[in-house]
Amino acid sequence: ISKQNVFGKLYYKIFFENVNKIIEIPKDDIKPIDNPLDLFKSQIFSKPIHFKLKFLAHLLDVIASGEEMISLSNFKINPLPHQLLVLDFVLNQFKPRCLLADEVGLGKTIEAALIMEELKLRNIIKRMLIITPAGLTTQWKDELKIKFSEDFLVINGATFKSFKEIYGEETNIWLNFNKVITSIDFLKPKKINDDLSETEKKRREIHNKSVFEDCINANWDIVIIDEAHKLTKHESGEETARYKIGKRLSDSVPIFLILTATPHKGKPHIFKNLLSLVDPYLFNKLEDLKPENVKQISIRNKKRATIDFSGNKLFKNRITTLCEITWDSEIDEPEISLYNKVVEYISEYYNFALKENNHLMILLLMLYQRIVSSSSRAILKSLQNRLNTLEKIYKLAQKIKEISFDSFTELSGEEQLDFINNLFPVLKNPELVKKEISIVSECITLARNATIGRNDAKLRKLINIIDDLKRSENDKDIKILIFTEFKETQRYIIESLENLGYKTTYINGDLNLEQKILHKQKFQEDTQILISTDAGGEGIN
């Protein structure tokens, strides 16, 4: 299932399925053996007693040593080679505390469950806690039930309240259950400050004690955190509430697994702080972020390298191309004018917001830069919403209370936009608000001109790419997955492609998990093109 060169000598790791062993053997020691089918045809058989004794010997060896995998034959799945490598890697750690960083789609859930089951069968763990995004709790519960016959309890706000009524307000609910799945946002501590009402302050204090602190102190044997890239500690030392969960649990449990396909995200300090949850001594400072240190506590399989037990690749080769979008000065004049005007608006009002220390307004303007780059349709919708907001509150323009932006950067662009729009970000100066109304109205006029009777340059490029793919692959029905950041751009792409005769479906954050799975099945069976926002990258196999 893998090979490596050690001082010029080639070694193979070989999985012996019948006895669930991975053994590392020098290439020179591997010899061909008689094919069992050939032996059978030649009527050459072992004595039954030899078979029984050998089977019993292997079984006793496994039970006695506790070093070999004993869980693999117990479940309704056939683990893939790379999943066995992950299991072997974790079990061979002095402390089973690791980052599982396989690329998306390689089955990190299965890997974590295999590790958990192996440790359970060895009587190393009994109390198990799995923390996921809210949308994935049901999926984890179902997969563990169907594939591993494990019954986990999902604890959320509603179930927690019910258990408090049953067991009493002073009871630590978490201690009553050995197998629990909960969501990271339900568990995270609530921020308390002097601006809160007494009622709200008391509610948050109760949450922090009975939900957060009680969970930390519930004597878990193993904690698994899925989508662990959401645990963010910045270079400044500021910790998000989600990171605080990881830190406290990491300090309180012996076995700690974090799962993410995107651990680095191009930010070394955040990556170092994530790894320090696994091993705070190995990753104490940024200089400790060396490849040899990272490899000690993390394992990452890539799609292009994964195979099945027959040696066949699991995925097609990936070809990545950056497509430059160029504007035609005549055809795209409306789009160019719109872009320039929006950038002018952003630049001017960014400076105004900076002077007022209006962080909410600054974030909104930065989002507009991304939205206008996404599509003319998307910026039109956003600016129309902005104009409605400004006209509503122009006469009431007043100081906005300081907002807590804990975990804001971890939201998708669409979620950030919804968050800010609901808070009515405006400047203090009514004259600047009045002027903004005029500028936004002008941008809306330009956006309408850019969307009527024409397509954006980026969409035209997308259509050309689709046509080229069909020709190069010699397949007019080739399946295509398109990602975009904002829902309005998603709707624009869907409408445009369907007008050209393509069958499409979509995934975005408005769909619950069951609906996302249905749309995924629709893509597999019927439609040619799937258009997804960031929501498609989380929790859908």
Side-chain angles (χ1 to χ4, degrees), residues 384-535:
Q384 286 172 332
N385 291 338
R386 179 65 178 165
L387 183 61
N388 291 337
T389 298
L390 291 170
E391 289 175 340
K392 281 179 186 177
I393 62 175
Y394 166 55
K395 293 181 181 179
L396 301 173
Q398 55 183 323
K399 182 180 179 181
I400 300 295
K401 288 184 178 181
E402 186 178 347
I403 305 296
S404 168
F405 295 107
D406 189 28
S407 301
F408 179 84
T409 56
E410 295 162 0
L411 301 176
S412 69
E414 192 71 46
E415 290 169 332
Q416 290 177 358
L417 185 62
D418 290 342
F419 178 84
I420 291 176
N421 280 335
N422 289 331
L423 295 175
F424 301 121
V426 292
L427 297 173
K428 298 175 188 176
N429 188 331
E431 291 305 312
L432 289 179
V433 176
K434 183 178 180 181
K435 180 182 177 183
E436 186 182 357
I437 290 173
S438 175
I439 295 172
V440 171
S441 297
E442 186 178 349
C443 288
I444 289 172
T445 300
L446 291 171
R448 287 199 182 103
N449 292 338
T451 57
I452 296 174
R454 64 176 299 279
N455 285 326
D456 282 358
K458 191 189 290 187
L459 181 71
R460 297 199 305 272
K461 182 69 173 181
L462 173 64
I463 293 169
N464 288 338
I465 290 170
I466 293 172
D467 290 340
D468 289 344
L469 276 172
K470 290 193 298 184
R471 282 192 294 269
S472 63
E473 296 294 322
N474 194 26
D475 182 2
K476 65 180 179 63
D477 298 318
I478 185 173
K479 296 281 187 177
I480 298 171
L481 171 59
I482 300 169
F483 278 96
T484 189
E485 188 171 12
F486 297 99
K487 287 184 287 188
E488 192 60 33
T489 300
Q490 182 186 50
R491 283 189 280 268
Y492 173 47
I493 295 170
I494 290 170
E495 289 174 13
S496 301
L497 293 178
E498 288 186 346
N499 286 338
L500 292 173
Y502 290 103
K503 286 185 177 181
T504 71
T505 189
Y506 69 95
I507 291 173
N508 61 38
D510 291 341
L511 304 180
N512 60 35
L513 182 60
E514 289 76 16
Q515 290 171 323
K516 291 176 185 177
I517 292 171
L518 284 175
H519 282 240
K520 183 195 76 169
Q521 291 173 344
K522 186 178 177 184
F523 175 53
Q524 289 174 318
E525 298 167 3
D526 181 45
T527 62
Q528 183 174 2
I529 301 176
L530 172 65
I531 303 98
S532 176
T533 62
D534 287 350

Side-chain angles (χ1 to χ4, degrees), residues 316-331:
K316 295 179 180 179
N317 287 332
R318 181 172 61 198
I319 302 170
T320 306
T321 307
L322 179 64
C323 301
E324 184 178 351
I325 309 298
T326 56
W327 276 325
D328 183 294
S329 58
E330 293 184 8
I331 298 173

Side-chain angles (χ1 to χ4, degrees), residues 119-130:
L119 295 171
K120 178 187 166 190
L121 288 171
R122 296 183 185 193
N123 294 316
I124 295 174
I125 63 170
K126 180 180 179 183
R127 292 185 48 72
M128 299 165 268
L129 175 66
I130 299 172

